[in-house]
Each structure stands twice: as C-alpha cells, then as structure tokens.
Amino acid sequence: MEASVILPILKKKLAFLSGGKDRRSGLILTIPLCLEQTSMDELSVTLDYLLSIPSEKCKARGFTVIVDGRKSQWNVVKTVVLMLQNVVPAEVSLVCVVKPDEFWDKKVTHFCFWKEKDRLGFEVILVSANKLTRYIEPCQLTEDFGGTLTYDHMDWLNKRLVFEKFTKESTSLLDELALINNGSDKGTQQEKERSIDLNFLPSVDPETVLQTGHELLSELQQRRFNGSDGGVSWSPMDDELLAQPQVMKLLDSLREQYTRYQEVCRQRSKRTQLEEIQQKVMQVVNWLEGPGSEQLRTQWGIGDSIRASQALQQKHEEIESQHSEWFAVYVELNQQIAALLNAGDEEDLVELKALQQQLSDVCYRQASQLEFRQNLLQAALEFHSVAQDLSQQLDGLLGMLCVDVAPADGASIQQTLKLLEEKLKSVDLGLQGLREKGQSLLDQISNQASWAYGKDVTIENKENVDHIQGVMEDMQLRKQRCEDMVDVRRLKMLQMVQLFKCEEDAAQAVEWLSELLDALLKTHIRLGDDTQETKVLLEKHRKFVDVAQSTYDYGRQLLQATVVLCQSLRCTSRSSGDTLPRLNRVWKQFTLTSEERVHRLETAVAFHSNAEKILQECPEQPEAINEMEQFDEIEAVGKSLLDRLTVPVVYPDGIVLFGNESPKKID
C-alpha cells in the first residue's frame, strides 16, 4: 500500500508513529481520538499502512499503543481497543488509554480490560496524561502528552511520499534503462538503432530522480527525517535507518545504468549529429555554389550616379543578408565539427576534416567575393560623390563667372577676386580627389577576380572603365573652360582695381593741390624786410610752385590712365566728369594766386633794392634824400606795391581773394 493512494486518510492523522519507543524499545503507536465520529474503516486503513512500515525485527519487539480518549466518548475508545485485537493482535504489547479528567466511572464497571487480557491478547491500562511517564520516558512522548519529542505529521507525510515516490520511480527507471542499455548491446547495428529508437527516452528524467534520491539520502543521513528547524532532533525508526542502504543501493544502480545510458545516447547523438552535419554542409555548399554565386554573377555594374550606386549597395546588402544566414549555419557547423574533432574518435576524424575543409573553402571564397563587391560599390559611391561635389563646384564657379562684375570699390573687387581664386583652388583639389578616387576604382576593377569560377567578365568591366574615364575627362574639360574664363575675369578685375586706384590717387592729388593752395593763401604772405630776405622768399615760392606743378601733372596722368582703363573695360569713369574739372579749377586758382605772389615779391625786391641804393649813397644826410630824383622812383614803386596789396585777386569762377584772406564768392 502506498501513501499517495490513501493520502486524504493519512492527512486526517487518525494514527501515527512518532518515532518514540517504550522501555522495551518497542515503537509507540498513537491514536488521537477527537470529538467527531472516527471512521473505523479509515482508522483500520491507517493502521494497516503504519504497521507495514517497520521491519519484522521492529514488529517483533511489539508496539505500545496510546489511545488518546480525552476528547472522545467511552464507546469509541472501547471500539478502537477491540479493533486493535483484529488489526494487530500479535504486534500490540500494551495499550495505554489516556482518560479525561472526568472519567467514565460508571461505564468502567461494565467493561474491565484487564479481565479481557487473555481474550484481547494485550494489556490495556487506563491512565491520565500526566501519569504516562510511568510507562514511557518523557523524551519518547510527544508534547501532547507532556513529553519533549517533536513530531510534525505533515512533514513526516511529505517525506514519506518522497521516499515512496523515489523508490517507485527509481525501480521503474532501472527497468527502463536496463532494457535500453541491454538492447543497445545486442544484435546488428540496425537492431541497435531500432531498439534505441523504441526505448530511447525513459518515462521520467533520470537527473531528477537522482537529485531526489540524493536529497532523500542526505535527509536520512542527517537523522532529521521529520525534524523541523529549531526543534529537537527526532531519532528515526529502525526501518528508516535501514532505508539508507536501500536508497544508496538504488542510487548506485541508477548511476551505473544512467552512465551506460548516457554513453548509448552519446553514441547515438554522435551518429545523428554527424549525419545532420553532413546534410547541412551539403546544403550550405550547394546554395553558395548555386544561387549565391548566380546572384553575384548578375551584379557587376557600379552605377552612373550616387543614387544608382546606393541602389546597387542596397541590392548587395540584400544579397549579403541572404548569405549571412548561410554563414551563420557555417559558423554553427564549424563549431560542431570542432567539438567532434576534439572528442578524438579516429574513425570520424578524416571525414570530419574533409567536411570542414570543403565548407571553409566555399564559405571563404564566397565571403571574399562579397567583400570585394562591397568595397567596389563603396569606392564607386565615393567616386560619384566626389564627382557630384566637383560638378556643383564647377557650376557655382561658372555661375559666378557669368555674372557681370559691378563692384563699388577696389576692396570689394579684391574680395571678389580672392573668392574667385579660392573657388578655383577648391576645384583643383576636387579634380585631384576625383582622379585619385577614379584611379583607385580602376585599380580595383583591374584586380577583380572572376566571380563565375573562371568565367571572364571583361566586357562588363570595360563598360565600367569607360564610364569612369569619361567622367574624369568631362570634369577636366569643364575645369579647363572655367580656368580660361577665370583668367579673363582676373584680368578684368585687376584692371578695375587699377582703375579704382587711379581714381582714388587722382582725388588725392586734388586734395593735395587744394592743401597747397590753402597754404599759399594763408601762410605765404610775408614780402621780406630787405632785398635779401625777399629774394629768399621768392626762391622758396618758386620751389613751392614746382611741387604744386608736379602734383597737378601727377593728377592729370592718373586721370588719363582712368580714361584708357575705362575704354578697355568699356565702362564710364566717375572721375572723368568730376575729378578732372576739380583738378583744373584748383590748379587755375593756384596759378593765379601764385602769379600774384610772384608779382608782389618782384615789386618788393625792386622797392628794397632802390631804397637800399639811396641809403648807401647818402648815409650821413638823410634829409637830402627828398631832393634826389631817385626818390620819386622809389615812391612810385612803393605806392604800386601798396596798391597791389589792396587789390583783390579775382578768379575766373567769381572767387575773390582779399589780401591774406580765404577766397570768397562775389554775388
């Protein structure tokens, strides 16, 4: 009988073996009666199961039965005691009926157990709970009877279920493993495989059963079969001590059969794995040499633009994605083959190495072709990207050259010219980069390996080569045309810079001449105190006039140069209508003022010369000077000089100069 069959009855705890022993070393069987009506049938089943657990040696020492009637009626207690006669008459040596505090005094007179000892076959005593220690040691009694023995019925029941489950599963598993292992040792190879196929998987997991057995053995060896944490350890029954070698024997048998079973599985798995590897290797090889290679054969172009190259790259990525699935299979197969090679079975080494070599050769060859194609498309994309950037630069440069230049000053022309030079330099660098990318791409195409295992692909490559060379030649021609236009534009802009420079210098000459005129009017007013000083002033004035003349001539030359440059540039100079009249007007004013200055200085020289001559002739008689004829002449010169100093200088445009004042306009 198994505990799992009568588990609901056992959970009711109608009776239990606590593990305690009487003074004769007999086991103590406890029957705790309760207020509810106890089913005698269920109690009988429980007793049958409990009495089947101890060994014959334990049974021979007899049982002490404790019937706890403190919560039950007398007739139930009497029925239980009488039932013991039918269930376990030979095994029971003593029955202790624990009576309640208020006992059934009148009912005892109707039934005396001690008079029925011969008929019952065992002694029955009525005892209070506190008097049980007269017959049983306290350490062998549970806490319900004032003892110190710890007992957990559900824990005991769970452990019992584990023990019975392990015994049942291990016995069944041993039979299955023996059948599998014995079948693999007999007959031909086909019979072996047929036997293994029919009984290959046991009904239960051997690892689980072994783990359960080890845990159970550990519990038994620790003598804590139904102990609880923190409680007093419980000494198991003799049969539970005997369960240890039983569990150990089952575990040893299981390990032996399971080891043989694992070897059988390993051999079978190895054969199956080798067959699967062979099949998968051929699948990989056939696809790579078939559809995979065909996909690469049809992809030979590099595109004629960035978008076309990107589309080809996307298509190639799809091809790579398909190949990556097969390469993943290759990696897995290679690992499996390496593991089998490390196992060192000589009979399979040659075949495994041949499979590994064949698989590696095909995969590496295909991977190299994919990588070459990817690098080629990347190089083509970079080439077209550089070509597009260069084309945009040339378009920008051409657009700049096609717009007429209308700068406001020389600085803006210089800035525009600098920008033009920078764009031309950028174009030169772009063309150089295009040539480098193109040459690199041509080198890759020229070194291209045959994708078709010997099939020539020069026709397709020739089309790619012609396209690359055509792009580079076209860019070279466009760049040359732009360079020619840049040379013309540079010359024109340099002329414009020179034109603006001439205009600026001419305007500066006018300013200088105006400053000389202003200095002449405001600072050159002294006539000298004697002949010598006046002559010095006259000489300085002539040098001053020479400087002004040089300034005027310089301005005229600059204005003539602007006229020539304007004719060359076919434009109208602003200076021709503004600067030249200003220059001529200032020069005319300076000339008139300078001439007047010369006349005054010359008159002053004559006056001082005559005066000094008369004074030299009559140094001692000054009063005689008035009688000399020369005095009249000197007086006439002096009056003429005074009159000239009071007469204003009238310019052609109506400007009047009064003495040493600035010119004023006369209305």
Side-chain angles (χ1 to χ4, degrees), residues 248-312:
M248 294 176 62
K249 182 178 180 181
L250 287 173
L251 286 174
D252 292 340
S253 300
L254 277 175
R255 280 192 289 267
E256 179 183 358
Q257 291 294 335
Y258 184 51
T259 302
R260 293 181 57 193
Y261 167 75
Q262 286 179 318
E263 180 62 23
V264 170
C265 292
R266 191 185 70 82
Q267 294 295 334
R268 173 58 179 171
S269 175
K270 179 182 173 182
R271 288 192 297 270
T272 303
Q273 186 178 13
L274 183 58
E275 293 173 357
E276 291 177 353
I277 288 175
Q278 291 174 340
Q279 183 180 2
K280 290 181 179 180
V281 166
M282 295 313 301
Q283 288 178 351
V284 174
V285 171
N286 292 336
W287 190 90
L288 292 178
E289 292 182 344
S293 296
E294 187 61 28
Q295 287 178 345
L296 289 176
R297 291 192 191 100
T298 58
Q299 298 293 317
W300 51 266
I302 61 172
D304 56 359
S305 64
I306 293 179
R307 181 175 298 179
S309 295
Q310 289 176 340
L312 290 174

Side-chain angles (χ1 to χ4, degrees), residues 24-209:
R24 299 185 304 272
S25 297
L27 296 178
I28 297 176
L29 174 64
T30 304
I31 303 176
L33 299 178
C34 55
L35 295 176
E36 292 87 6
Q37 186 66 33
T38 302
S39 173
M40 294 298 114
D41 293 335
E42 293 181 351
L43 179 58
S44 177
V45 171
T46 302
L47 293 175
D48 288 341
Y49 175 75
L50 293 176
L51 294 175
S52 66
I53 295 175
S55 63
E56 295 299 327
K57 184 178 180 180
C58 287
K59 292 179 182 180
R61 289 196 292 265
F63 290 89
T64 293
V65 180
I66 299 177
V67 180
D68 188 0
R70 289 176 294 180
K71 297 180 181 180
S72 182
Q73 299 177 358
W74 164 251
N75 58 345
V76 177
V77 174
K78 182 176 66 173
T79 303
V80 171
V81 173
L82 294 175
M83 185 186 66
L84 292 175
Q85 179 186 13
N86 300 324
V87 177
V88 284
E91 288 81 358
V92 177
S93 59
L94 176 64
V95 176
C96 294
V97 178
V98 181
K99 61 182 180 178
D101 295 336
E102 297 179 359
F103 194 57
W104 321 278
D105 295 329
K106 296 181 180 180
K107 297 178 181 180
V108 173
T109 59
H110 299 288
F111 186 82
C112 296
F113 287 114
W114 63 274
K115 295 180 180 180
E116 302 292 333
K117 179 179 180 181
D118 295 336
R119 185 171 64 87
L120 292 174
F122 49 79
E123 181 182 359
V124 180
I125 61 174
L126 299 177
V127 64
S128 299
N130 56 2
K131 299 295 181 61
L132 274 177
T133 54
R134 296 179 180 179
Y135 307 95
I136 303 172
E137 296 295 332
C139 62
Q140 302 298 322
L141 290 174
T142 60
E143 296 176 353
D144 294 336
F145 303 108
T148 60
L149 182 64
T150 300
Y151 174 75
D152 187 341
H153 183 70
M154 293 308 299
D155 182 71
W156 172 86
L157 184 57
N158 291 333
K159 296 299 187 297
R160 189 67 192 178
L161 290 172
V162 172
F163 173 76
E164 292 183 356
K165 180 182 178 182
F166 169 72
T167 304
K168 180 180 179 181
E169 289 181 349
S170 60
T171 303
S172 175
L173 181 60
L174 282 173
D175 295 338
E176 294 176 358
L177 293 179
L179 181 61
I180 295 173
N181 296 335
N182 293 335
S184 63
D185 295 336
K186 300 178 181 179
T188 62
Q189 183 70 20
Q190 294 180 351
E191 291 175 350
K192 290 181 183 179
E193 295 181 359
R194 188 181 303 113
S195 175
I196 295 173
D197 290 338
L198 293 175
N199 306 279
F200 193 71
L201 294 177
S203 58
V204 293
D205 181 20
E207 293 285 350
T208 303
V209 176

Side-chain angles (χ1 to χ4, degrees), residues 202-456:
S203 58
V204 293
D205 181 20
E207 293 285 350
T208 303
V209 176
L210 285 171
Q211 183 179 359
T212 302
H214 285 298
E215 293 175 354
L216 178 59
L217 181 60
S218 177
E219 289 287 342
L220 293 174
Q221 290 175 342
Q222 293 176 10
R223 303 178 65 84
R224 294 178 59 188
F225 186 82
N226 67 341
S228 59
D229 294 339
V232 180
S233 299
W234 171 66
S235 300
M237 298 179 292
D238 292 345
D239 66 303
E240 291 162 347
L241 294 175
L242 294 175
Q244 295 184 26
Q246 182 181 357
V247 173
M248 294 176 62
K249 182 178 180 181
L250 287 173
L251 286 174
D252 292 340
S253 300
L254 277 175
R255 280 192 289 267
E256 179 183 358
Q257 291 294 335
Y258 184 51
T259 302
R260 293 181 57 193
Y261 167 75
Q262 286 179 318
E263 180 62 23
V264 170
C265 292
R266 191 185 70 82
Q267 294 295 334
R268 173 58 179 171
S269 175
K270 179 182 173 182
R271 288 192 297 270
T272 303
Q273 186 178 13
L274 183 58
E275 293 173 357
E276 291 177 353
I277 288 175
Q278 291 174 340
Q279 183 180 2
K280 290 181 179 180
V281 166
M282 295 313 301
Q283 288 178 351
V284 174
V285 171
N286 292 336
W287 190 90
L288 292 178
E289 292 182 344
S293 296
E294 187 61 28
Q295 287 178 345
L296 289 176
R297 291 192 191 100
T298 58
Q299 298 293 317
W300 51 266
I302 61 172
D304 56 359
S305 64
I306 293 179
R307 181 175 298 179
S309 295
Q310 289 176 340
L312 290 174
Q313 274 191 331
Q314 184 176 1
K315 178 64 177 177
H316 183 71
E317 288 175 358
E318 294 175 359
I319 295 175
E320 282 186 331
S321 178
Q322 297 180 22
H323 278 74
S324 63
E325 297 177 1
W326 292 97
F327 288 154
V329 177
Y330 157 71
V331 173
E332 181 181 356
L333 288 174
N334 198 35
Q335 293 176 350
Q336 293 177 2
I337 293 175
L340 292 177
L341 289 174
N342 291 333
D345 293 336
E346 296 181 359
E347 58 184 9
D348 300 327
L349 287 179
V350 177
E351 183 178 1
L352 286 172
K353 288 183 178 179
L355 285 174
Q356 188 179 42
Q357 187 64 40
Q358 180 185 13
L359 184 63
S360 298
D361 291 344
V362 174
C363 289
Y364 281 125
R365 181 168 59 245
Q366 200 74 358
S368 299
Q369 295 169 4
L370 286 170
E371 183 180 7
F372 177 83
R373 175 65 178 168
Q374 176 63 32
N375 294 337
L376 184 67
L377 290 176
Q378 183 62 33
L381 180 61
E382 294 175 357
F383 173 77
H384 289 124
S385 178
V386 174
Q388 178 174 296
D389 293 342
L390 179 59
S391 178
Q392 292 175 352
Q393 291 178 3
L394 289 171
D395 291 340
L397 180 59
L398 183 61
M400 184 176 178
L401 293 172
C402 292
V403 177
D404 194 14
V405 180
D409 51 31
S412 62
I413 294 178
Q414 291 285 2
Q415 185 176 1
T416 304
L417 184 60
K418 181 179 179 181
L419 179 61
L420 192 64
E421 295 291 348
E422 289 176 354
K423 285 185 174 293
L424 184 60
K425 183 177 180 180
S426 177
V427 168
D428 288 335
L429 294 176
L431 183 60
Q432 181 180 355
L434 181 67
R435 289 170 179 166
E436 293 175 356
K437 295 293 184 182
Q439 188 59 47
S440 175
L441 186 56
L442 290 173
D443 293 340
Q444 290 189 48
I445 293 176
S446 63
N447 296 329
Q448 181 178 4
S450 176
W451 295 343
Y453 301 104
K455 182 179 179 180
D456 195 3

Side-chain angles (χ1 to χ4, degrees), residues 499-507 510 555 558-563 566 572-583:
L499 173 61
F500 278 105
K501 181 63 176 174
C502 289
E503 290 182 347
E504 292 175 1
D505 292 347
V510 174
L558 291 174
L559 291 175
Q560 290 175 1
T562 59
V563 173
C566 287
T572 302
S573 172
R574 298 172 298 175
S575 300
S576 60
D578 182 18
T579 308
L580 182 59
R582 287 176 54 214
L583 179 65

